[in-house]
């Protein structure tokens, strides 16, 4: 992809560990943002998706990644523009291209 000014990050959640009695151990779990690749994050104003049960969904952001990523629907991601967050949310649909090695995400 020629124009990829943003950085795609995915949220990884580590659950709390438990001791032998089932009590959570402090400072063992948490959330971390992991950088995956460069991307382009655009505001979405036109694309609508129809779910099988008839609901209409209009995602807020359309993200095009410069590589094929292994992300499932429902994963929480964000796009950074420098130090600020350009777009953030849960992934609704993931599409991987066959010929070009890129992925499209709708948040």
């Amino acid at each position: 992809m020629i124009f990829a000014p943003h950085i795609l990050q995915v949220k990884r959640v580590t659950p709390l560990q438990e001791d032998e009695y089932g009590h959570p151990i402090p400072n063992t779990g948490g959330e971390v943002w992991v950088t995956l690749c460069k991307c382009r994050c655009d505001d979405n104003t036109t694309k609508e998706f129809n779910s099988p049960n008839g609901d209409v969904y209009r995602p807020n952001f359309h993200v095009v990644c410069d590589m094929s990523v292994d992300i499932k629907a429902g994963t929480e991601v964000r796009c950074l523009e420098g130090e600020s967050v350009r777009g953030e949310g849960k992934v609704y649909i993931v599409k991987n291209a066959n010929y070009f090695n890129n992925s499209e995400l709708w948040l």
Side-chain angles (χ1 to χ4, degrees):
M1 187 167 57
I2 297 171
F3 185 65
H6 307 120
I7 296 171
L8 179 68
Q9 292 185 330
V10 65
K11 184 191 267 186
R12 301 282 185 217
V13 178
T14 307
L16 289 172
Q17 295 178 356
E18 296 178 346
D19 62 9
E20 62 271 9
Y21 302 110
H23 301 113
I25 299 172
N27 301 327
T28 56
E31 300 174 350
V32 132
W33 288 98
V34 179
T35 300
L36 287 184
C37 61
K38 295 185 73 135
C39 67
R40 184 184 74 231
C41 179
D42 300 320
D43 292 335
N44 182 41
T45 58
T46 59
K47 186 78 172 172
E48 287 184 353
F49 296 100
N50 294 322
S51 67
N53 63 356
D55 291 338
V56 176
Y57 180 76
R58 180 177 286 161
N60 293 327
F61 298 100
H62 175 229
V63 179
V64 180
C65 303
D66 68 348
M67 60 181 275
S68 182
V69 294
D70 186 27
I71 294 178
K72 307 290 184 217
T75 305
E76 202 166 332
V77 298
R78 71 179 179 185
C79 295
L80 297 179
E81 183 174 22
E83 294 296 319
S84 64
V85 176
R86 166 91 170 123
E88 182 174 13
K90 289 190 178 183
V91 176
Y92 181 66
I93 291 179
V94 179
K95 292 188 178 180
N96 293 319
N98 291 333
Y99 183 71
F100 299 108
N101 192 26
N102 64 2
S103 297
E104 293 184 64
L105 311 171
W106 280 271
L107 312 178

